[in-house]
Amino acid sequence: MVGLTTLPNTASVDDVVAIIERDGGVIVEDLFGGNVLEGLQRDIELAINSVPEGVDAEFAGTKTRRAGALFARSEHMIDVATNPIYQGAARAILQKPLHVFFGEERTEITPQIQIGTTQAIHIQPGQGAQVLHRDDTVWMWRHPDYGREARVQIMVAITDFTHENGGTQVIPGSHKWDDDRAPKVSEAVSTEMKAGSALIWIGSTYHGGGNNTSDGPRTGLTMAFDLAFLRQEENQYLSIPLEKVKSFPEDVQRLLGWESGESFLGFVEKDGQMTDPMDILNSAEYEEIGRIPGRV
């Protein structure tokens, strides 16, 4: 079976989006390198070593280590979230406007995106393949009923990915299937790429961790951009200390969910007004999560 298309890191966002829309996923070579890759490798190793092996034989794996809260663990997650190819593709795929009426006035609203989940995944030798699945199942997404994608996800190779060491399995074209067709292992191809390269795919594409038959581990870092009107899979407000959130650039704070967007979802009341959380987060009066002076 033909593997996933691989593009150079000089590819345009339009080229990346075109392949994703055709195949459900694409590999981009050398998306991260130099100090960023070295920093990610160092930080992810520390994160992996801080968690035990899994106990879920069917899904998470008994010889797999998974560590979340990566924005609290690595400053280089900012580089992942702000990568122009990945974020550009996510915005192009997810931020498709719709029209609504306020009274008789027809208005266009564009959905925001947010960081939904982060995880370092360390698959050790002897770990069998993960069951093939769609990640948008967390919202019980229906295909093709909803007519839009819910997630654009990235898997950054922290170590080289090969067929033998459990490179992520993907079924090309499965994003076009309805919900009555089951995925078969024989339809999947392995993601093979060097450290620093990345797989970008969408929530409707069937995929899963591969079978590690090699004598070494395979480590990857995954993060997802999701539609901001959906609940975040990983609770970013409890995963990241508030002081660390305040140290991030404003665009990253917003991507972590600290904004209300055009539809006002997630607003905070202040002085009788529906206020953008960013106005509260970065104000001197905001002391801690859930506490505004004068409010009991």
Side-chain angles (χ1 to χ4, degrees), residues 218-230:
R218 185 229 81 177
T219 305
L221 175 164
T222 193
M223 192 198 96
F225 279 126
D226 302 333
L227 290 169
F229 57 75
L230 299 172

Side-chain angles (χ1 to χ4, degrees), residues 14-151:
D14 288 344
D15 289 342
V16 170
V17 170
I19 298 298
I20 293 174
E21 290 181 340
R22 185 190 72 186
D23 299 339
V26 66
I27 296 170
V28 182
E29 290 182 314
D30 302 320
L31 196 57
F32 302 97
N35 293 335
V36 173
L37 177 58
E38 292 175 4
L40 286 171
Q41 290 173 327
R42 179 185 63 250
D43 296 341
I44 294 307
E45 181 179 6
L46 290 172
I48 289 297
N49 288 338
S50 71
V51 297
E53 291 183 352
V55 295
D56 182 349
E58 182 177 1
F59 191 78
T62 57
K63 294 184 177 180
T64 298
R65 294 186 178 187
R66 296 171 179 265
L70 296 188
F71 277 86
R73 287 177 150 131
S74 177
E75 64 182 12
H76 295 290
M77 287 302 297
I78 292 175
D79 296 290
V80 177
T82 58
N83 179 270
I85 289 180
Y86 173 43
Q87 188 182 128
R91 290 191 181 280
I93 293 170
L94 297 177
Q95 292 193 285
K96 295 180 178 178
L98 55 81
H99 291 89
V100 299
F101 281 96
F102 288 101
E104 296 184 7
E105 182 178 353
R106 191 170 188 259
T107 303
E108 181 179 272
I109 296 180
T110 300
Q112 300 297 101
I113 62 171
Q114 65 185 357
I115 294 162
T117 189
T118 66
Q119 196 169 71
I121 305 174
H122 182 77
I123 298 178
Q124 301 183 75
Q127 173 64 63
Q130 185 184 32
V131 62
L132 295 168
H133 61 284
R134 283 168 157 163
D135 277 348
D136 59 14
T137 298
V138 296
W139 304 290
M140 296 183 284
W141 212 247
R142 298 288 84 189
H143 315 84
D145 296 6
Y146 297 158
R148 66 165 66 229
E149 290 295 328
R151 165 172 289 183

Side-chain angles (χ1 to χ4, degrees), residues 161-239:
F161 276 38
T162 67
H163 172 73
E164 291 76 20
N165 72 9
T168 305
Q169 294 185 304
V170 177
I171 301 182
S174 59
H175 62 304
K176 298 178 180 178
W177 298 356
D178 63 24
D179 295 309
D180 293 321
R181 179 173 175 178
K184 297 179 180 179
V185 174
S186 60
E187 298 172 293
V189 297
S190 296
T191 300
E192 300 194 81
M193 56 187 178
K194 296 293 185 181
S197 298
L199 164 69
I200 303 175
W201 79 103
I202 47 182
S204 56
T205 301
Y206 278 105
H207 68 285
N211 177 19
N212 190 344
T213 60
S214 73
D215 57 4
R218 185 229 81 177
T219 305
L221 175 164
T222 193
M223 192 198 96
F225 279 126
D226 302 333
L227 290 169
F229 57 75
L230 299 172
R231 182 175 181 179
Q232 289 162 302
E233 183 177 359
E234 179 184 37
N235 190 315
Q236 302 299 329
Y237 310 104
L238 296 180
S239 297

